[in-house]
Amino acid sequence: MDFSSLSEVEIWCLVKSGNQKAFSYIYSTFSKDLYKYGHKFTQDTNLIEDVIQDLFVHIWDLKKNINIKNSIKFYLFACFRRELIKKIKCAYKNESLEEVHSKFKWEASFLEILDENQIILESSNKISLALDQIPLRQKEAIYLRYIQELSYEEISKMMDVQVPSVYNLIFKGLKKLKNLLSFTRTSTKFSGLLFLFFQ
């Protein structure tokens, strides 16, 4: 069966009915993105992998009681974020999540989207230096919106803030990045993120 031709609601109905291939499709489709997202919080690969594994085991065990009406991706990211933060807080009891989170870099994700749209930075270090000056919640909101392509409503639920606050986080983060970065445009094909950069 070609699961890619089905809606997420249809795929989830198959999972609820016990279709292991549909469940495997969900795992193969989203596990890499969850893994990358986990690395925005910690470099403990074993911890990230354990949380992903536990999450999918838990979902399979409770599949008949889980109702996903729109986005499987949002459900997975929201559950994963909650469980990962819980585990990190236990593992790093003497540090705040903010301190743990601040140790890790986001530039690879942002360089990836710039590269995909053929945007050349004057210096490869510029985005790293710029991102160091962006608050963590702004970076996460931008990452979820433009790299993981979640909606503002989904991000607000994940980050436990109001939708206007998500808009504000993203707007301020992009505005600061625009002011800190200078780059050469070599393509007219832009994502929403890059379109905002050039305003």
Side-chain angles (χ1 to χ4, degrees), residues 98-110:
E98 187 86 359
E99 290 171 328
V100 173
H101 199 168
S102 67
K103 294 177 183 177
F104 306 111
K105 300 296 183 182
W106 297 75
E107 65 262 23
S109 298
F110 287 83

Side-chain angles (χ1 to χ4, degrees), residues 65-82:
N65 299 320
I66 298 172
N67 293 313
I68 298 178
K69 297 180 180 179
N70 294 307
S71 172
I72 293 172
K73 182 174 187 175
F74 165 67
Y75 181 83
L76 292 174
F77 266 70
C79 292
F80 174 73
R81 184 182 193 273
R82 183 174 59 248

Side-chain angles (χ1 to χ4, degrees), residues 15-27:
V15 171
K16 288 189 74 168
S17 70
N19 189 310
Q20 292 184 350
K21 289 184 178 180
F23 187 69
S24 294
Y25 173 78
I26 290 174
Y27 179 85

Side-chain angles (χ1 to χ4, degrees), residues 68-196:
I68 298 178
K69 297 180 180 179
N70 294 307
S71 172
I72 293 172
K73 182 174 187 175
F74 165 67
Y75 181 83
L76 292 174
F77 266 70
C79 292
F80 174 73
R81 184 182 193 273
R82 183 174 59 248
E83 291 305 310
L84 184 64
I85 287 175
K86 191 186 301 181
K87 292 286 178 66
I88 288 173
K89 285 180 176 178
C90 290
Y92 299 92
K93 291 181 180 177
N94 297 324
E95 297 180 85
S96 69
L97 180 63
E98 187 86 359
E99 290 171 328
V100 173
H101 199 168
S102 67
K103 294 177 183 177
F104 306 111
K105 300 296 183 182
W106 297 75
E107 65 262 23
S109 298
F110 287 83
L111 281 170
E112 181 180 327
I113 197 168
L114 291 172
D115 183 60
E116 285 175 0
N117 288 271
Q118 298 180 327
I119 306 302
I120 301 170
L121 290 174
E122 290 179 358
S123 166
S124 60
N125 292 325
K126 273 202 167 188
I127 197 163
S128 178
L129 294 172
L131 286 170
D132 283 343
Q133 298 180 58
I134 305 296
L136 294 173
R137 287 176 72 78
Q138 290 179 10
K139 281 185 279 198
E140 185 178 5
I142 293 169
Y143 176 87
L144 291 172
R145 179 70 188 103
Y146 292 104
I147 296 174
Q148 293 303 330
E149 300 181 339
L150 297 183
S151 70
Y152 289 98
E153 291 76 14
E154 289 170 340
I155 297 168
S156 75
K157 291 176 184 176
M158 282 185 62
M159 298 183 69
D160 195 25
V161 296
Q162 297 297 314
V163 172
S165 296
V166 176
Y167 279 102
N168 195 41
L169 285 170
I170 292 173
F171 174 78
K172 287 184 175 179
L174 291 175
K175 185 176 180 182
K176 188 152 192 176
L177 281 176
K178 177 190 171 186
N179 291 334
L180 292 168
L181 294 172
S182 58
F183 39 76
T184 303
R185 177 169 44 182
T186 62
S187 172
T188 56
K189 181 182 178 183
F190 307 123
S191 66
L193 173 61
L194 298 174
F195 177 77
L196 286 173

